[in-house]
Amino acid sequence: MKFFLKCGEAAIVCDKVQYKEAGTMARFMLRAHILICRPCRGYSEQNVKLTKTIRSAKLSALCPERKQLLKKRIREELDKERLL
């Protein structure tokens, strides 16, 4: 078993950590890697900021019915434009 991640592997583990999909050993190996690798440390910090920003935005999506209604209205308007 290897104990040092390559940068590409570290990025993948970093993404998994953000979504709570990484195991204990992977998190440990990532921490060891970002202690040594400045670019990966920056990537990890950006990931954390992005996740916090998205969570604080409290985004919501349209319900499927409303989405279908909007699509229908857009199609109707486009059809009207084509007839002119």
Side-chain angles (χ1 to χ4, degrees):
M1 175 182 225
K2 64 179 184 168
F3 291 99
F4 191 75
L5 297 172
K6 294 178 182 177
C7 291
E9 296 167 330
I12 292 169
V13 173
C14 183
D15 293 341
K16 287 183 178 185
V17 167
Q18 290 300 113
Y19 297 105
K20 297 177 178 37
E21 297 174 354
T24 305
M25 188 61 174
R27 289 192 317 265
F28 173 78
M29 291 168 56
L30 176 64
R31 285 188 186 130
H33 182 87
I34 63 174
L35 282 173
I36 298 167
C37 181
R38 184 178 296 236
C40 288
R41 189 176 324 130
Y43 179 82
S44 179
E45 290 169 359
Q46 286 178 337
N47 247 6
V48 170
K49 286 180 187 176
L50 179 61
T51 299
K52 285 181 181 179
T53 301
I54 290 170
R55 284 184 182 152
S56 69
K58 297 178 184 170
L59 301 173
S60 62
L62 291 173
C63 67
E65 295 83 18
R66 180 79 172 138
K67 189 174 179 180
Q68 287 301 322
L69 177 63
L70 287 173
K71 283 182 177 182
K72 181 181 175 186
R73 288 177 60 190
I74 290 170
R75 278 191 222 109
E76 289 171 355
E77 290 297 321
L78 289 173
D79 289 344
K80 285 180 190 176
E81 289 293 319
R82 288 185 194 128
L83 293 176
L84 294 178

